[in-house]
Amino acid sequence: MELSGAEIDTLVALIERGPLRDGGLPSKVGRNELLAKGFAAEVVIDRDYYFYAATAKGLEWYLNRYNATTIADARTNRIIATQLP
């Protein structure tokens, strides 16, 4: 499944820095699209809500996209792939 740039940026943030509140998200539109597709979910942390986190479906997409089996390896592959020559 293809994701938009806003969705990818938001999913990466949720996986690498999440759970996050709205203010920490790169895109609220991306968040809404990820929620609708089941790649993200609203979660409760310490009896407080309005946090968002990636789901297992979102993590699977992220790992496949960056050709890795761990988040650390996927992050490394993502950073290497986005470096300019």
Side-chain angles (χ1 to χ4, degrees), residues 15-16 59-78:
I15 291 170
E16 294 181 4
L59 177 60
E60 182 181 341
W61 186 93
Y62 170 86
L63 294 174
N64 286 333
R65 164 114 177 161
Y66 298 108
N67 195 28
T69 57
T70 67
I71 293 171
D73 288 345
R75 182 177 181 276
T76 299
N77 292 346
R78 180 184 63 77

Side-chain angles (χ1 to χ4, degrees), residues 20-32:
L20 299 172
R21 289 187 181 267
D22 277 343
L25 296 173
S27 169
K28 290 178 187 67
V29 171
R31 176 208 59 204
N32 292 343

Side-chain angles (χ1 to χ4, degrees), residues 5-38:
E7 290 172 302
I8 293 170
D9 290 346
T10 303
L11 185 58
V12 167
L14 290 173
I15 291 170
E16 294 181 4
R17 299 184 289 119
L20 299 172
R21 289 187 181 267
D22 277 343
L25 296 173
S27 169
K28 290 178 187 67
V29 171
R31 176 208 59 204
N32 292 343
E33 293 170 353
L34 292 171
L35 289 169
K37 292 177 180 176

